[in-house]
Amino acid sequence: MPEERARRTFEVAGGDFGGKLMVTRRTGRSVRAALEEALTDLPKGGTLYVDTRGVELMDYSFADEALGILASRVASGEYGERHLVLVEEDRDLLENVEASLMQRSLAMIRVDEVGAEPAIVGKVPDHLVDTLNAIYDAGSITNTALAAKLGLNNTACNNRATRLAKLGLIHRRTETAAPGGRQYAYERIA
């Protein structure tokens, strides 16, 4: 059963960031600083939904500075077990975000709206996409059950899921297993 984790939504359009045009690295740095503060304020295991709906233009410089660098820092573990989800439905607007993430060999979970079916923006190898889809289909699944579902041994399955967790695409937690052992369980973040 998935744990209930904290969620917060950060709306990029409007506010202190100059309206609906998200351009330049300078603006990207300002938005990233605000996103970092919001992410840091979340408890361990929390998810920050970065809502870019309403943004009319986002150039590569902004996308890379605000989202590419932040996704890189999340993947490096700088924010502990906190996660990012991009909320955007306009595929044209996502082009620069995707270009930044692909340049950095990263990906993010994306939804059209909070609660909608998740997708990936960026690039993840096909075998990891299969693993990610199996985790998201289950909602929460142990390594043993996931390995059986994918036809893998436990070590290969854990290696795949560990990579997804390091990218920030899933939440990984440790469970107690009988008798007296422990195992990993993986959960969707959106």
Side-chain angles (χ1 to χ4, degrees):
M1 183 66 80
E3 294 177 1
E4 187 62 35
R5 292 186 306 279
R7 295 178 180 192
R8 178 174 175 204
T9 301
F10 184 100
E11 294 184 15
V12 174
D16 299 331
F17 306 113
K20 298 179 181 222
L21 302 178
M22 296 296 141
V23 295
T24 75
R25 288 202 176 270
R26 182 177 180 192
T27 304
R29 276 190 294 277
S30 296
V31 170
R32 180 171 33 90
L35 289 168
E36 287 172 332
E37 184 177 327
L39 195 57
T40 302
D41 287 346
L42 282 171
K44 180 180 171 183
T47 299
L48 181 63
Y49 285 83
V50 180
D51 190 345
T52 57
R53 294 174 299 175
V55 171
E56 293 176 4
L57 175 66
M58 182 186 305
D59 72 358
Y60 178 84
S61 295
F62 174 89
D64 186 56
E65 192 70 39
L67 299 171
I69 290 174
L70 186 60
S72 178
R73 290 179 176 174
V74 167
S76 75
E78 190 171 322
Y79 299 100
E81 294 181 21
R82 292 172 183 89
H83 310 284
L84 287 175
V85 173
L86 184 63
V87 183
E88 182 55 66
E89 55 201 355
D90 183 347
R91 289 300 306 168
D92 291 337
L93 196 70
L94 290 170
E95 285 180 6
N96 286 320
V97 174
E98 189 150 48
S100 170
L101 293 172
M102 290 177 78
Q103 181 71 26
R104 295 171 178 277
S105 299
L106 295 170
M108 290 176 71
I109 297 295
R110 181 199 61 80
V111 294
D112 290 343
E113 60 186 48
V114 176
E117 195 60 32
I120 298 171
V121 61
K123 180 68 176 147
V124 177
D126 291 342
H127 68 285
L128 292 182
V129 172
D130 294 341
T131 305
L132 182 68
N133 288 337
I135 293 167
Y136 271 70
D137 288 346
S140 178
I141 191 168
T142 64
N143 187 66
T144 302
L146 182 61
K149 186 174 189 174
L150 296 173
L152 299 170
N153 68 46
N154 284 348
T155 301
C157 185
N158 182 57
N159 289 341
R160 287 184 181 190
T162 297
R163 179 72 181 126
L164 292 170
K166 285 183 178 180
L167 284 170
L169 303 176
I170 62 169
H171 180 73
R172 182 173 85 164
R173 61 186 168 82
T174 305
E175 289 186 340
T176 303
R182 63 186 176 122
Q183 67 178 336
Y184 288 117
Y186 313 110
E187 299 173 352
R188 60 190 295 158
I189 61 168

Short mmCIF file of all heavy atoms in Angstrom, two decimals, residues 122-144:
data_model
loop_
_atom_site.label_atom_id
_atom_site.label_comp_id
_atom_site.label_asym_id
_atom_site.label_seq_id
_atom_site.Cartn_x
_atom_site.Cartn_y
_atom_site.Cartn_z
N GLY A 122 11.85 13.91 -21.31
CA GLY A 122 13.27 13.59 -21.24
C GLY A 122 13.48 12.22 -21.86
O GLY A 122 12.62 11.72 -22.58
N LYS A 123 14.59 11.60 -21.56
CA LYS A 123 14.92 10.31 -22.17
C LYS A 123 15.30 9.31 -21.10
O LYS A 123 16.14 9.58 -20.25
CB LYS A 123 16.06 10.47 -23.16
CG LYS A 123 16.47 9.19 -23.86
CD LYS A 123 15.40 8.69 -24.79
CE LYS A 123 15.88 7.46 -25.55
NZ LYS A 123 14.84 6.54 -25.84
N VAL A 124 14.64 8.16 -21.16
CA VAL A 124 14.94 7.03 -20.28
C VAL A 124 15.06 5.80 -21.18
O VAL A 124 14.22 5.61 -22.07
CB VAL A 124 13.81 6.82 -19.24
CG1 VAL A 124 14.06 5.62 -18.36
CG2 VAL A 124 13.63 8.07 -18.38
N PRO A 125 16.08 4.95 -20.99
CA PRO A 125 16.20 3.74 -21.81
C PRO A 125 14.94 2.88 -21.73
O PRO A 125 14.26 2.84 -20.70
CB PRO A 125 17.40 3.01 -21.19
CG PRO A 125 18.18 4.07 -20.49
CD PRO A 125 17.17 5.08 -20.02
N ASP A 126 14.65 2.17 -22.83
CA ASP A 126 13.42 1.38 -22.93
C ASP A 126 13.24 0.39 -21.79
O ASP A 126 12.14 0.23 -21.27
CB ASP A 126 13.37 0.64 -24.27
CG ASP A 126 13.17 1.57 -25.45
OD1 ASP A 126 12.73 2.72 -25.23
OD2 ASP A 126 13.45 1.15 -26.59
N HIS A 127 14.32 -0.27 -21.37
CA HIS A 127 14.17 -1.25 -20.29
C HIS A 127 13.77 -0.57 -18.97
O HIS A 127 13.04 -1.15 -18.18
CB HIS A 127 15.44 -2.10 -20.12
CG HIS A 127 16.63 -1.36 -19.60
ND1 HIS A 127 17.37 -0.51 -20.37
CD2 HIS A 127 17.20 -1.36 -18.38
CE1 HIS A 127 18.36 0.00 -19.65
NE2 HIS A 127 18.27 -0.50 -18.43
N LEU A 128 14.21 0.67 -18.78
CA LEU A 128 13.79 1.40 -17.58
C LEU A 128 12.35 1.90 -17.71
O LEU A 128 11.63 1.97 -16.72
CB LEU A 128 14.73 2.57 -17.29
CG LEU A 128 16.15 2.21 -16.87
CD1 LEU A 128 16.95 3.46 -16.58
CD2 LEU A 128 16.15 1.27 -15.67
N VAL A 129 11.93 2.23 -18.93
CA VAL A 129 10.54 2.63 -19.15
C VAL A 129 9.61 1.46 -18.81
O VAL A 129 8.58 1.64 -18.15
CB VAL A 129 10.30 3.12 -20.59
CG1 VAL A 129 8.82 3.33 -20.87
CG2 VAL A 129 11.08 4.40 -20.85
N ASP A 130 9.99 0.24 -19.22
CA ASP A 130 9.19 -0.94 -18.89
C ASP A 130 9.07 -1.11 -17.38
O ASP A 130 7.99 -1.40 -16.85
CB ASP A 130 9.81 -2.20 -19.50
CG ASP A 130 9.78 -2.21 -21.02
OD1 ASP A 130 8.98 -1.44 -21.61
OD2 ASP A 130 10.56 -2.98 -21.62
N THR A 131 10.17 -0.93 -16.68
CA THR A 131 10.17 -1.05 -15.22
C THR A 131 9.33 0.05 -14.59
O THR A 131 8.52 -0.20 -13.69
CB THR A 131 11.62 -1.01 -14.69
OG1 THR A 131 12.39 -2.02 -15.36
CG2 THR A 131 11.67 -1.24 -13.19
N LEU A 132 9.50 1.27 -15.08
CA LEU A 132 8.73 2.40 -14.57
C LEU A 132 7.23 2.17 -14.77
O LEU A 132 6.43 2.38 -13.86
CB LEU A 132 9.16 3.69 -15.28
CG LEU A 132 8.48 4.97 -14.84
CD1 LEU A 132 8.89 5.34 -13.42
CD2 LEU A 132 8.82 6.11 -15.79
N ASN A 133 6.85 1.72 -15.97
CA ASN A 133 5.43 1.47 -16.24
C ASN A 133 4.86 0.41 -15.32
O ASN A 133 3.72 0.53 -14.84
CB ASN A 133 5.24 1.07 -17.70
CG ASN A 133 5.41 2.24 -18.65
OD1 ASN A 133 5.26 3.40 -18.26
ND2 ASN A 133 5.75 1.95 -19.89
N ALA A 134 5.63 -0.64 -15.04
CA ALA A 134 5.16 -1.69 -14.14
C ALA A 134 4.95 -1.16 -12.73
O ALA A 134 3.97 -1.49 -12.06
CB ALA A 134 6.15 -2.86 -14.13
N ILE A 135 5.83 -0.29 -12.28
CA ILE A 135 5.69 0.32 -10.95
C ILE A 135 4.48 1.23 -10.92
O ILE A 135 3.67 1.19 -9.99
CB ILE A 135 6.98 1.08 -10.55
CG1 ILE A 135 8.13 0.09 -10.36
CG2 ILE A 135 6.75 1.92 -9.28
CD1 ILE A 135 9.51 0.73 -10.28
N TYR A 136 4.31 2.06 -11.95
CA TYR A 136 3.18 2.98 -11.98
C TYR A 136 1.85 2.23 -12.12
O TYR A 136 0.85 2.64 -11.55
CB TYR A 136 3.37 4.03 -13.08
CG TYR A 136 4.12 5.23 -12.54
CD1 TYR A 136 5.47 5.14 -12.21
CD2 TYR A 136 3.49 6.44 -12.33
CE1 TYR A 136 6.16 6.21 -11.69
CE2 TYR A 136 4.17 7.53 -11.81
CZ TYR A 136 5.50 7.41 -11.49
OH TYR A 136 6.18 8.48 -10.95
N ASP A 137 1.84 1.14 -12.86
CA ASP A 137 0.62 0.33 -12.98
C ASP A 137 0.24 -0.25 -11.63
O ASP A 137 -0.95 -0.32 -11.28
CB ASP A 137 0.80 -0.81 -13.99
CG ASP A 137 0.83 -0.32 -15.43
OD1 ASP A 137 0.46 0.85 -15.68
OD2 ASP A 137 1.25 -1.10 -16.31
N ALA A 138 1.23 -0.68 -10.85
CA ALA A 138 0.96 -1.29 -9.54
C ALA A 138 0.66 -0.24 -8.48
O ALA A 138 -0.05 -0.52 -7.51
CB ALA A 138 2.16 -2.13 -9.11
N GLY A 139 1.20 0.96 -8.63
CA GLY A 139 1.06 1.99 -7.60
C GLY A 139 2.11 1.84 -6.52
O GLY A 139 2.79 2.77 -6.16
N SER A 140 2.25 0.64 -5.99
CA SER A 140 3.27 0.27 -5.01
C SER A 140 3.54 -1.22 -5.19
O SER A 140 2.60 -2.00 -5.32
CB SER A 140 2.78 0.57 -3.59
OG SER A 140 3.74 0.18 -2.64
N ILE A 141 4.82 -1.58 -5.21
CA ILE A 141 5.17 -2.98 -5.46
C ILE A 141 6.53 -3.28 -4.84
O ILE A 141 7.42 -2.43 -4.84
CB ILE A 141 5.15 -3.27 -6.99
CG1 ILE A 141 5.25 -4.76 -7.28
CG2 ILE A 141 6.21 -2.47 -7.71
CD1 ILE A 141 4.95 -5.12 -8.74
N THR A 142 6.67 -4.48 -4.30
CA THR A 142 7.96 -4.89 -3.74
C THR A 142 8.90 -5.29 -4.86
O THR A 142 8.47 -5.60 -5.98
CB THR A 142 7.80 -6.09 -2.78
OG1 THR A 142 7.34 -7.21 -3.53
CG2 THR A 142 6.85 -5.76 -1.62
N ASN A 143 10.19 -5.31 -4.55
CA ASN A 143 11.18 -5.72 -5.54
C ASN A 143 10.92 -7.15 -6.00
O ASN A 143 11.01 -7.45 -7.19
CB ASN A 143 12.60 -5.58 -4.97
CG ASN A 143 13.65 -5.83 -6.03
OD1 ASN A 143 13.76 -5.05 -6.96
ND2 ASN A 143 14.38 -6.92 -5.89
N THR A 144 10.57 -8.03 -5.08
CA THR A 144 10.32 -9.43 -5.43
C THR A 144 9.15 -9.55 -6.40
O THR A 144 9.24 -10.25 -7.41
CB THR A 144 10.06 -10.27 -4.16
OG1 THR A 144 11.21 -10.13 -3.30
CG2 THR A 144 9.82 -11.72 -4.48
#
